[in-house]
Amino acid sequence: MEYQFKKTEQFWQQYWKENNSYAVSNISDKKPFYVLDMFPYPSGAGLHVGHPLGYIASDIYSRFKRLKGFNVLHPMGFDSFGLPAEQYALETGQHPAATTEKNIATFKQQLDKIGFCYDWNREVRTSDPYYYKWTQWIFLKLFNSWFNTESNKAERIQTLVEKFEKHGSTLLSRQPASFQSFSAEEWISFSDKMKQEILMEYRLAFSAYGEVNWCEALGTVLANDEVVNGLSERGGHPVVKKKMRQWYMRITAYADRLLKGLNTVDFSDSMKEMQRNWIGKSEGAELQFAIDGHEENIKVYTTRPDTIFGVDFIVLAPEHELVDKITSAEQRVSIDEYFTYVKSRSDRERMAEVKQVTGCFTGAFALNPFNNKKIPVWIAEYVLAGYGTGAIMAVPCGDQRDFLFAEHFQIPVTNIIGEHFNYSEANPTKEAILQNSGFLDGLIMKDAIVVALEKITEMGIGKRKVNFKMRDAGFSRQRYWGEPFPITWKDGIAVPLEENDLPLHLPHVDTYGPGPEGEGPLANLKEWVDLSAGDSEVRRETSTMPGYAGSSWYFLRYMDPENQETFCDRKASDYWGQVDVYVGGTEHAVGHLLYSRMWTKVLFDLGMIGFDEPFKKLVNQGMIQGSSRFIFRLEGEGISKEKVFVSYSLVEKWEKAQISKDELLKKINEVTGSSSISSTISFSRIHVDVNLVDGFELDKEAFKKWKPEYVNSFFILEDGKYTCAAEVEKMSKSKYNTVNPDVLVDKYGADTFRMYEMFLGPVEQSKPWDTKGIEGVHRFLRKLWRLFNDDIKGKLWNEEQPTDAEWKVLHTAIKKIENDTSNFSYNTAVSAFMVCVNELAEMKSNKRSVLEPLLIILTPYAPHIAEELWRQLGNTSSILDAAYPHVEEKYLTETSKEYPVSINGKLRTTITLPLTMEQADAEAMVLKNDVVQKWLEGKSPKKFIFVKGKMVNVVI
RNA sequence: GCCCGGGUGGCGGAAUUGGUAGACGCAGCAGACUCAAAAUCUGCCAUUCGCAAGGAUGUGCUGGUUCGAUUCCAGUCCCGGGCACCA
């Protein structure tokens, strides 16, 4: 019987489901192993072939580990809160809960067809109240915690209150800038509101005023994505920055630990690099410059205090608070103009244009603290208010951007590095010997950094400072479809809900428009919001949490999804521990991965879990790009435009002038039956649905049915074929290059689809999708089937004893595939399967003792056919519970033999050669080579190296 | 501008990490089986010179280290991804 994948796959999927074959228990003698995928956002578009790439990779690994005797946790769930569902609701009026539910159903159906071994009993959905109850609960833990810089960990806020009650703020090394220090007595005397305001400066989840993108016309806050060139994406209305009360995660408190933690995890170097760059730790100095004629100081941050004598000007961010105060009367107009210009510039523009130097002189001068030199103070858009102190000291001879600025505005440049500076570009060296640098003269710059720092500290004009690029993470959104905050505002004080009152359900709304004052839609529910009683005003928080709230801890919930007492029982998280392998795309490099790392550290600090890094190993799957196909519509006078499509093979010839106009027209007229004559011939290139194309050949009938306007199309063929042109582009619906996995699973089966996705190339690598090679994998599975069954003879396998050659083929494959699978090198593993089956087929080897282990190692890749054939061999228990076969090394070396080799009559060593070679060959090889002769004098070689049958080297 | 990847046949990609470059698959060509098709099987398939045996060239480009380089080093050019002009 031929291999009937549809029947087979449906049968076993049903069987596994009915037998709960993928259920995982938290109680087991086996070692635990946790394989996790980044859970998807259930979008309305459903899965495309890019999605399953990572899922298949992790599924293979899970099944592999299971065969290796581990208790494997491999769950799946849905990141089901998010903006798209809400936007869809705005457009269609359908409730996000309903559309999300529907989308999840579609996703699950699509996923199940591919045969993943998820334990669906553990599914989580972030929008489920049973789930977000615990997101809110963890939020309250964050709210009620502070980061103690002495112990370097999070502690309950109570410990801070106790410190204040005993010692005031004096014992704390970190104090918020906005508060003066206070004594214990003062603390006790503070009003409750004052106390709460102070505590808010320490809480890990805290509320503060922050800038948002505000669109007056839409009356709403917009995400960065929704702002294009300073205008709203919808409607093109102006967008301005507006201060609003927001919630934040104090992730900056964990900057150092997030950085150090990277050394303990197995992420790719580029991923670690991205996170390091994002955290952006730098060590330097903060120092003050006095301003001539003003009381205020300008604080600058620099990593190069050694260049202090090379400062030729100071640049403030245009938004810097001192700008207004120090601007001179004559510069006022220019500064205002420049400020207006900067405001009109989007972040994207400020980022993109590097070559254009802009700036404006304030008219003020700062004084160099060491030589009292007058330094002009400028503003420029390249200095950002949010980083460091929003002011820099510019050293043109050492910093290229400063140099270009000086050059552009003709500011004289001081050279402090002598011949290292050539006056045509800056030199950022740290190796030069300083000149023109007062007390630093003669020092090498890298040594001068410390000397300068000491002097600055001694003079009281600055201090050593560690700076981080990373800023606290905004944690509130003025949206509906997210977790409501378990917070009420009572007379301006944030009051957390009691834990027993969780979850705070997301109330139903009828409209999804913004609330008054641009608050989230929840603000429209007056009764829900207003809890005022008596004199005090009590209002619920109307923002909701961002998408990353639920995804910051979901990996813990899978361990204990049913628990109603806590987010995850400590026993469960102790048993499973860290996620051993986490698979997902690089787009989450700095968002999700940093937030979940932070939450894990907080939960660890509070003693709720036993590890402080969530993911032990991270595997990044590459992006699947689309491979678009194009058809060519004939354009020209006298030709019916919509209907004539010319094969790309002919278009190519036409473009290369390999075919004459008459010939082409003749072909066209033959097909269309008319006699059109045209003075000009040209073609327009049109995207055609890749699914209508087999390789490059267009399915003409399917094309005619694709769109009504193509019903009466004519095709100008070559060799009876219509060929299409191709190009690699991003996968998108508008380019008609998306491929739905369902179609492929229907046509070739899940096993073929799984193996083909892996065969396409390394998991980590981005690559264009191309269906044309899938036949090869399908052929492989059919060939495997034919080792067991035959159309005519039926059962083929037998109980005979395999030959050494057969054992060799099997064990070579086991070794290679085991190795490749554990290294996520699935593409070469699939190749190894093909080689193995080809060789067995050639030997007509149908021996059970060879075929059985082969099926086991195939299980992770093609579980359905493996299970089917396994049962055909008479096994009564599932192949899922088989043990991974061991490699018998002896079968791998049998075909080689050792030869003694002597040179000049003396026995020197033995070498191992294939059986096909003889003693004479071995000696001849050695003797022929003069390189060897030289190297051999008096030494005993360990290894000979042959290239093309010639010995080229000896390892001694 | 900065950071991280990557350049190998017509195509996707291999190469035990310094040791016969092009495994495996696709596409293509030729053949077998068949009335025919499908399916299956066999052979060829980097470029170039040659009837052939065989030779020369060849892993983006230019050099270097080495007996030997796709692999290591320096420079350079392209392509992809990321970015918050980060002082």
Side-chain angles (χ1 to χ4, degrees):
Chain A
M1 195 177 62
E2 253 304 295
Y3 168 41
Q4 306 206 323
F5 59 84
K6 244 183 201 162
K7 213 175 110 195
T8 303
E9 290 178 357
Q10 273 167 13
F11 179 83
W12 289 111
Q13 280 175 13
Q14 190 65 25
Y15 177 90
W16 292 325
K17 200 172 179 180
E18 281 167 6
N19 288 274
N20 247 330
S21 301
Y22 298 127
V24 185
S25 169
N26 282 7
I27 300 158
S28 168
D29 303 337
K30 296 174 179 173
K31 278 197 205 157
F33 199 89
Y34 190 176
V35 182
L36 181 65
D37 290 288
M38 289 185 186
F39 63 168
Y41 174 79
S43 78
L47 287 178
H48 65 68
V49 289
H51 280 106
L53 183 76
Y55 303 157
I56 295 168
S58 65
D59 197 67
I60 289 173
Y61 205 75
S62 307
R63 290 171 180 273
F64 173 68
K65 279 293 184 181
R66 177 171 177 169
L67 292 171
K68 282 277 190 179
F70 289 83
N71 187 29
V72 180
L73 177 57
H74 185 224
M76 182 47 90
F78 298 94
D79 190 10
S80 46
F81 271 136
L83 202 49
E86 188 164 341
Q87 275 172 337
Y88 193 68
L90 262 174
E91 287 161 24
T92 65
Q94 293 185 63
H95 197 276
T99 51
T100 301
E101 182 77 26
K102 208 176 92 201
N103 292 347
I104 289 178
T106 310
F107 263 66
K108 280 181 81 165
Q109 198 188 3
Q110 286 188 293
L111 288 170
D112 279 341
K113 277 189 175 182
I114 302 171
F116 292 120
C117 64
Y118 301 129
D119 179 358
W120 281 117
N121 300 322
R122 292 174 182 260
E123 177 190 344
V124 301
R125 300 176 183 190
T126 54
S127 60
D128 183 343
Y130 288 105
Y131 181 86
Y132 69 67
K133 169 182 178 176
W134 299 108
T135 308
Q136 292 171 334
W137 185 85
I138 295 172
F139 170 82
L140 290 181
K141 296 293 167 202
L142 288 157
F143 179 78
N144 283 317
S145 301
W146 67 296
F147 193 85
N148 184 342
T149 47
E150 270 93 59
S151 60
N152 199 28
K153 60 179 223 171
E155 292 177 11
R156 288 177 309 118
I157 199 82
Q158 222 51 44
T159 64
L160 180 65
V161 175
E162 282 160 19
K163 263 181 200 280
F164 286 160
E165 283 170 352
K166 277 191 192 146
H167 312 286
S169 65
T170 46
L171 286 185
L172 290 179
S173 60
R174 191 194 77 87
Q175 289 179 22
S178 47
F179 285 101
Q180 300 292 320
S181 31
F182 48 84
S183 66
E185 291 75 33
E186 282 173 307
W187 168 260
I188 291 162
S189 73
F190 285 155
S191 70
D192 192 39
K193 187 165 183 179
M194 179 77 173
K195 283 180 183 166
Q196 288 304 325
E197 274 171 19
I198 292 170
L199 290 178
M200 195 61 104
E201 296 287 328
Y202 290 87
R203 295 180 189 276
L204 290 178
F206 66 99
S207 175
Y209 282 90
E211 286 193 333
V212 292
N213 297 314
W214 172 252
C215 180
E216 187 66 47
L218 296 173
T220 182
V221 176
L222 297 174
N224 282 332
D225 275 0
E226 298 173 296
V227 184
V228 181
N229 292 329
L231 300 173
S232 66
E233 193 183 27
R234 276 180 297 137
H237 307 292
V239 176
V240 293
K241 297 272 183 209
K242 183 182 169 183
K243 287 227 168 191
M244 280 181 90
R245 190 170 263 288
Q246 299 291 327
W247 285 91
Y248 293 90
M249 283 291 136
R250 202 177 299 283
I251 193 169
T252 50
Y254 279 90
D256 243 327
R257 278 176 60 190
L258 287 169
L259 208 51
K260 288 203 184 98
L262 287 175
N263 299 328
T264 68
V265 293
D266 184 5
F267 294 5
S268 72
D269 288 343
S270 56
M271 176 64 57
K272 288 184 179 181
E273 200 61 30
M274 273 190 236
Q275 294 212 353
R276 284 195 194 101
N277 287 343
W278 188 266
I279 296 166
K281 182 179 183 172
S282 67
E283 293 179 34
E286 192 175 275
L287 69 152
Q288 297 165 13
F289 285 78
I291 310 169
D292 203 15
H294 293 266
E295 280 185 11
E296 288 86 359
N297 289 321
I298 297 173
K299 268 190 188 170
V300 304
Y301 174 74
T302 180
T303 51
R304 296 294 301 275
D306 54 310
T307 61
I308 182 76
F309 288 92
V311 177
D312 290 314
F313 54 101
I314 277 178
V315 188
L316 304 182
E319 301 88 351
H320 197 284
E321 54 179 16
L322 281 178
V323 173
D324 202 42
K325 285 182 191 161
I326 62 170
T327 300
S328 67
E330 53 274 27
Q331 287 301 108
R332 176 71 60 185
V333 176
S334 322
I335 288 285
D336 287 349
E337 272 173 18
Y338 185 70
F339 192 68
T340 312
Y341 158 78
V342 170
K343 262 173 80 181
S344 75
R345 306 257 295 159
S346 71
D347 285 358
R348 213 168 272 191
E349 283 173 321
R350 279 175 75 161
M351 207 180 1
E353 289 174 42
V354 182
K355 284 162 197 159
Q356 192 186 336
V357 180
T358 69
C360 185
F361 180 45
T362 60
F365 289 88
L367 298 171
N368 188 317
F370 292 104
N371 57 12
N372 272 334
K373 184 181 155 189
K374 279 177 86 174
I375 317 165
V377 180
W378 290 67
I379 64 170
E381 61 177 332
Y382 79 85
V383 175
L384 302 181
Y387 182 75
T389 59
I392 61 160
M393 54 179 231
V395 183
C397 73
D399 184 289
Q400 184 61 13
R401 215 175 31 213
D402 296 346
F403 178 81
L404 290 173
F405 195 87
E407 201 177 35
H408 187 262
F409 292 108
Q410 300 181 348
I411 301 168
V413 176
T414 309
N415 181 12
I416 53 168
I417 52 175
E419 62 196 17
H420 290 274
F421 179 53
N422 61 10
Y423 292 89
S424 62
E425 63 177 351
N427 185 347
T429 178
K430 287 184 184 175
E431 305 296 329
I433 293 171
L434 284 161
Q435 305 177 8
N436 293 330
S437 290
F439 68 98
L440 295 172
D441 270 350
L443 288 172
I444 296 174
M445 297 177 97
K446 61 182 177 191
D447 303 329
I449 293 177
V450 185
V451 179
L453 255 171
E454 279 169 6
K455 186 88 176 174
I456 288 163
T457 316
E458 191 187 308
M459 290 169 68
I461 52 165
K463 59 183 184 205
R464 182 185 291 271
K465 186 162 183 202
V466 174
N467 202 38
F468 293 97
K469 275 196 272 183
M470 186 167 66
R471 299 196 276 265
D472 285 325
F475 196 68
S476 49
R477 303 287 184 260
Q478 281 62 53
R479 301 285 178 181
Y480 171 71
W481 192 231
E483 300 87 348
F485 282 86
I487 291 283
T488 54
W489 290 93
K490 188 177 175 189
D491 301 323
I493 298 171
V495 181
L497 252 63
E498 292 297 319
E499 281 181 16
N500 291 336
D501 294 335
L502 298 180
L504 172 60
H505 283 270
L506 181 63
H508 190 274
V509 291
D510 294 319
T511 58
Y512 307 94
E517 316 290 316
E519 297 157 278
L522 290 180
N524 295 324
L525 301 174
K526 297 213 165 48
E527 282 183 18
W528 183 80
V529 172
D530 192 357
L531 302 175
S532 298
D535 291 342
S536 58
E537 195 201 5
V538 182
R539 285 173 58 85
R540 285 192 201 275
E541 171 65 52
T542 56
S543 312
T544 54
M545 299 186 198
Y548 67 81
S551 63
S552 288
W553 71 281
Y554 74 112
F555 59 95
L556 292 168
R557 190 63 181 172
Y558 285 134
M559 297 174 178
D560 195 9
E562 307 280 329
N563 200 323
Q564 300 301 312
E565 306 303 316
T566 182
F567 70 107
C568 172
D569 192 86
R570 179 68 195 256
K571 271 190 214 132
S573 62
D574 279 350
Y575 174 68
W576 291 110
Q578 289 167 283
V579 175
D580 290 282
V581 175
Y582 193 32
V583 180
T586 47
E587 66 270 22
H588 300 293
V590 287
H592 160 62
L593 280 169
L594 274 176
Y595 303 133
S596 51
R597 289 182 61 215
M598 177 204 167
W599 283 41
T600 303
K601 287 177 191 301
V602 176
L603 293 171
F604 172 77
D605 289 352
L606 298 178
M608 291 167 180
I609 53 173
F611 44 90
D612 90 329
E613 280 290 341
F615 314 117
K616 204 184 274 178
K617 180 180 172 66
L618 180 68
V619 175
N620 291 117
Q621 96 253 25
M623 202 172 66
I624 297 267
Q625 293 150 315
S627 183
S628 307
R629 293 290 183 275
F630 298 90
I631 51 170
F632 293 82
R633 195 172 65 192
L634 183 68
E635 307 277 358
E637 300 157 32
I639 291 164
S640 111
K641 279 192 178 179
E642 285 80 21
K643 293 176 184 168
V644 181
F645 295 97
V646 179
S647 173
Y648 179 57
S649 54
L650 288 170
V651 174
E652 250 186 328
K653 282 188 180 172
W654 167 254
E655 280 166 356
K656 290 177 187 166
Q658 289 168 347
I659 184 169
S660 74
K661 192 163 118 188
D662 288 346
E663 275 177 276
L664 195 59
L665 281 174
K666 196 181 149 205
K667 277 177 185 279
I668 292 165
N669 292 338
E670 271 170 22
V671 175
T672 59
S674 63
S675 55
S676 46
I677 296 163
S678 176
S679 56
T680 59
I681 288 183
S682 65
F683 301 97
S684 52
R685 197 161 170 264
I686 301 165
H687 272 103
V688 64
D689 192 334
V690 278
N691 298 296
L692 304 177
V693 182
D694 178 17
F696 295 95
E697 189 182 348
L698 182 70
D699 180 338
K700 299 181 286 291
E701 292 311 310
F703 176 76
K704 284 182 180 176
K705 286 177 200 151
W706 186 37
K707 287 184 181 177
E709 69 244 48
Y710 294 141
V711 172
N712 296 316
S713 303
F714 292 106
F715 300 97
I716 315 303
L717 313 176
E718 191 180 30
D719 301 329
K721 286 177 186 172
Y722 187 97
T723 55
C724 302
E727 194 181 310
V728 173
E729 297 176 298
K730 216 174 178 166
M731 206 174 252
S732 102
K733 272 194 158 173
S734 64
K735 290 172 180 141
Y736 300 111
N737 61 5
T738 58
V739 180
N740 185 333
D742 294 357
V743 176
L744 295 170
V745 170
D746 282 347
K747 195 166 170 193
Y748 298 101
D751 288 336
T752 301
F753 178 70
R754 291 167 62 104
M755 287 193 97
Y756 182 59
E757 280 236 6
M758 294 301 103
F759 186 60
L760 214 51
V763 185
E764 297 91 342
Q765 196 174 303
S766 291
K767 57 227 154 193
W769 177 262
D770 189 349
T771 306
K772 77 182 180 198
I774 199 169
E775 288 280 355
V777 175
H778 197 223
R779 266 174 218 152
F780 155 76
L781 287 175
R782 288 205 302 260
K783 201 168 199 171
L784 174 78
W785 181 271
R786 288 198 304 272
L787 288 176
F788 294 75
N789 294 293
D790 189 282
D791 267 353
I792 303 142
K793 291 182 219 150
K795 180 198 122 172
L796 284 182
W797 56 271
N798 58 56
E799 305 281 354
E800 283 166 37
Q801 195 55 31
T803 62
D804 278 0
E806 286 168 314
W807 282 127
K808 187 186 156 90
V809 169
L810 174 70
H811 287 282
T812 309
I814 297 173
K815 190 175 182 178
K816 168 93 176 132
I817 289 160
E818 182 176 350
N819 199 30
D820 285 349
T821 307
S822 37
N823 292 323
F824 300 91
S825 180
Y826 300 129
N827 56 328
T828 50
V830 175
S831 294
F833 277 117
M834 290 174 172
V835 171
C836 176
V837 166
N838 278 341
E839 284 176 7
L840 291 178
E842 203 166 317
M843 287 192 258
K844 300 213 185 328
S845 175
N846 314 92
K847 294 170 186 150
R848 181 213 183 97
S849 35
V850 170
L851 296 176
E852 214 167 66
L854 179 63
L855 288 178
I856 297 173
I857 61 174
L858 182 71
T859 310
Y861 293 83
H864 309 87
I865 192 173
E867 181 84 279
E868 171 67 26
L869 292 172
W870 175 258
R871 300 302 179 122
Q872 286 186 15
L873 290 179
N875 292 293
T876 49
S877 65
S878 171
I879 196 168
L880 302 174
D881 297 317
Y884 206 86
H886 294 286
V887 184
E888 297 283 348
E889 290 282 344
K890 63 177 175 177
Y891 294 116
L892 304 181
T893 50
E894 287 266 305
T895 50
S896 302
K897 193 175 167 185
E898 292 216 323
Y899 291 90
V901 174
S902 55
I903 291 164
N904 300 336
K906 286 167 82 177
L907 179 70
R908 291 290 179 155
T909 187
T910 55
I911 60 174
T912 307
L913 290 174
L915 282 174
T916 50
M917 298 193 100
E918 296 189 357
Q919 178 73 43
D921 294 328
E923 298 212 359
M925 272 182 191
V926 177
L927 288 169
K928 253 192 242 168
N929 194 289
D930 21 305
V931 179
V932 175
Q933 291 289 331
K934 272 188 239 161
W935 286 49
L936 276 181
E937 293 308 317
K939 290 164 190 168
S940 176
K942 284 183 200 141
K943 189 185 165 195
F944 295 89
I945 293 163
F946 295 91
V947 175
K948 287 194 179 176
K950 270 189 199 167
M951 180 177 289
V952 293
N953 199 8
V954 183
V955 180
I956 295 164

